[in-house]
């Protein structure tokens, strides 16, 4: 797949996902980059999408809040 080559060439070490067609259509309908979502172990989106850049502290708060809200 072309996406696998891009990931391999870029040297990223984080998990990348290939969305199903429904999610791909949804993502393609936004004009915000970056566009981030949290998903659970079943692939269900947790909370709202996050658009735009965030600093480390903000990401840490968003991640902790998502874990607390959806996992406990």
């Amino acid at each position: 797949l072309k996406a696998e080559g891009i990931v391999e060439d870029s040297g990223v070490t984080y998990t990348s996902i290939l969305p199903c067609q429904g999610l791909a259509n949804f993502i393609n309908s936004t004009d915000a980059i970056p566009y981030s979502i949290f998903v659970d172990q079943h692939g269900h989106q947790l909370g709202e999408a996050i658009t735009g850049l965030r600093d480390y502290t903000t990401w840490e708060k968003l991640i902790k809040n998502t874990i607390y809200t959806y996992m406990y």
Side-chain angles (χ1 to χ4, degrees):
L1 290 169
K2 183 177 180 182
E4 290 173 338
I6 293 170
V7 170
E8 186 176 304
D9 291 345
S10 67
V12 297
T13 58
Y14 52 84
T15 301
S16 298
I17 60 169
L18 296 174
C20 65
Q21 190 58 49
L23 181 57
N25 291 340
F26 177 72
I27 292 170
N28 288 333
S29 69
T30 184
D31 57 358
I33 297 175
Y35 185 92
S36 303
I37 59 171
F38 296 109
V39 295
D40 66 13
Q41 65 271 27
H42 304 289
H44 300 118
Q45 182 175 335
L46 305 175
E48 299 295 319
I50 302 163
T51 58
L53 298 173
R54 301 290 189 274
D55 63 24
Y56 181 88
T57 302
T58 302
W59 275 116
E60 185 175 39
K61 289 177 185 175
L62 288 167
I63 291 167
K64 286 180 179 180
N65 184 55
T66 301
I67 290 170
Y68 177 78
T69 301
Y70 294 97
M71 301 303 201
Y72 296 106

